[in-house]
Amino acid sequence: MSWVVENSLAWYHKLFINILKCGPIPRHIAFIMDGNRRYASKQNVNKAVGHTRGFDKLAETLLWCREMGVREVTVYAFSIENFKRSEEEVETLMQLAKEKYAKILEEKDKLHENGVCIRVIGNLNLIPKDLRKSIAQAVLMTKNNNKSFLNVAFAYTSRDEITNSMQTIATSDLDAEEIDSDLISSCMYSSESERPDILIRSSGEVRFSDFLLWQIWNTNVIFTDVLWPDFSVWHFFACIFQYQRCYKNMQLVGESLEKEPKGGKTMAGLEERRLKQLEIYAS
Ligand code: FPP
Ligand code: MG
């Protein structure tokens, strides 16, 4: 399946979208796409099929997000912890990612037409060279698109992201009192993203699994029992509705925290360094 799927929504889905659009719409949704293997065993198919259906569901979800007006999506595609799975399963997931990233390069025109920018958050040093090359090429190819943003967390954990941010700061000549939360955020893999308004985890597991722990300080967290490949547009609408019900309270917390003085600091030259590194990986 393609990353940019054709609009397959029925008139009544569109009607629902228009009703929901009367309320606040999240700018950024993060997904923990959990339950692919349980789906596979329920359907009596192998794990690889479960993960492929998981990818297809992601592509469909991106369409729903675009139609709903959600600008940014972040997905947990592969955690550093996932390297501990069997060699066969890790290889299956790497193969799937290779195939899908190769597809991004083929779908260049479609991605540009739709203004889709694909970014990666994670520790690229841990990713096999050939996959890393395709990922870097895809990121560079779409970097100037600015209508919708997809952040793929690959070889990612929050603890690794925070550790990496601290290491970056430690190599600078800043004094301790110059370090604030803005500076730490600017050194995260996700520094180009706004914080998520909603975090959705499928499959009934009630855990964060080391995902975006720094970023979700005022995020509406939704745990849903459905397995990721079974996640439907109605589950999606229910999540948006739940967010709208919590919106006022979230606004109040956000406003009071945002009143605190902010440094707005960033690490000089970090963006350029990251871009150069991507160009090396892509070559
Ligand atoms: C969690 O289900 C899912 C994953 C570890 C992989 C998610 C990956 C995809 C949906 C494909 C995305 C690919 C790209 C290139 C973006 P699980 O394996 O933990 O299943 P379980 O909870 O039932 O055991
Ligand atoms: Mg799981």
Side-chain angles (χ1 to χ4, degrees):
M1 195 188 239
S2 153
W3 287 76
V4 186
V5 298
E6 295 307 322
N7 195 337
S8 54
L9 293 171
W11 65 267
Y12 46 88
H13 296 136
K14 291 185 181 159
L15 177 68
F16 251 84
I17 290 177
N18 284 331
I19 294 169
L20 286 166
K21 276 186 172 173
C22 296
I25 294 299
R27 287 160 306 174
H28 181 182
I29 306 184
F31 291 93
I32 302 179
M33 310 179 285
D34 197 17
N36 292 350
R37 295 182 300 185
R38 273 167 284 168
Y39 169 89
S41 74
K42 228 176 74 183
Q43 300 288 323
N44 242 334
V45 292
N46 63 38
K47 286 178 197 161
V49 175
H51 289 309
T52 304
R53 302 256 167 93
F55 175 84
D56 296 347
K57 184 54 66 179
L58 164 62
E60 217 183 328
T61 305
L62 294 175
L63 164 71
W64 306 335
C65 287
R66 281 200 302 279
E67 290 294 307
M68 189 66 79
V70 177
R71 228 172 97 81
E72 184 167 2
V73 171
T74 299
V75 292
Y76 211 177
F78 193 87
S79 146
I80 292 176
E81 292 299 310
N82 291 151
F83 281 113
K84 294 182 185 152
R85 292 190 177 187
S86 73
E87 210 175 296
E88 189 194 349
E89 191 181 350
V90 172
E91 184 49 33
T92 300
L93 283 163
M94 294 297 156
Q95 253 330 106
L96 179 64
K98 261 183 236 166
E99 191 190 304
K100 297 303 173 188
Y101 273 94
K103 187 114 193 144
I104 293 185
L105 303 177
E106 279 168 33
E107 295 191 320
K108 183 177 174 184
D109 293 344
K110 222 169 170 188
L111 289 160
H112 286 342
E113 264 164 45
N114 286 276
V116 182
C117 170
I118 297 180
R119 302 190 284 221
V120 62
I121 59 169
N123 191 336
L124 296 187
N125 294 323
L126 302 178
I127 303 176
K129 252 183 164 177
D130 49 352
L131 174 58
R132 187 170 66 197
K133 181 173 178 172
S134 308
I135 293 178
Q137 286 172 338
V139 172
L140 292 172
M141 188 186 88
T142 61
K143 76 177 167 49
N144 294 324
N145 293 342
N146 58 10
K147 269 201 214 141
S148 71
F149 298 87
L150 170 63
N151 310 308
V152 179
F154 209 96
Y156 175 90
T157 59
S158 284
R159 282 171 305 159
D160 178 67
E161 181 179 39
I162 295 167
T163 306
N164 184 272
S165 170
M166 297 303 152
Q167 287 169 343
T168 306
I169 293 169
T171 58
S172 72
D173 50 10
L174 291 168
D175 294 330
E177 57 278 9
E178 294 180 84
I179 300 169
D180 64 8
S181 63
D182 280 355
L183 183 81
I184 296 171
S185 296
S186 81
C187 295
M188 295 279 172
Y189 301 135
S190 57
S191 60
E192 291 173 283
S193 292
E194 291 193 38
R195 68 184 162 77
D197 299 300
I198 316 182
L199 168 64
I200 299 170
R201 181 177 190 144
S202 59
S203 92
E205 297 288 330
V206 184
R207 290 181 282 130
F208 291 122
S209 295
D210 217 343
F211 188 48
L212 303 181
L213 299 181
W214 175 262
Q215 294 85 348
I216 54 172
W217 55 270
N218 191 28
T219 293
N220 183 201
V221 181
I222 302 177
F223 296 103
T224 170
D225 285 340
V226 64
L227 302 176
W228 174 250
D230 286 328
F231 187 75
S232 74
V233 72
W234 299 108
H235 294 110
F236 178 69
F237 291 161
C239 292
I240 301 291
F241 184 59
Q242 183 166 328
Y243 165 76
Q244 294 182 335
R245 285 174 51 218
C246 300
Y247 181 74
K248 270 238 156 68
N249 285 341
M250 287 171 63
Q251 280 291 95
L252 290 176
V253 177
E255 272 165 24
S256 69
L257 285 172
E258 262 144 31
K259 270 188 205 133
E260 290 171 13
K262 283 178 123 195
K265 288 198 192 100
T266 55
M267 178 67 69
L270 184 58
E271 277 316 303
E272 290 77 6
R273 253 156 52 204
R274 283 183 174 161
L275 195 64
K276 274 210 183 101
Q277 187 63 58
L278 277 175
E279 280 161 0
I280 294 168
Y281 286 150
S283 61

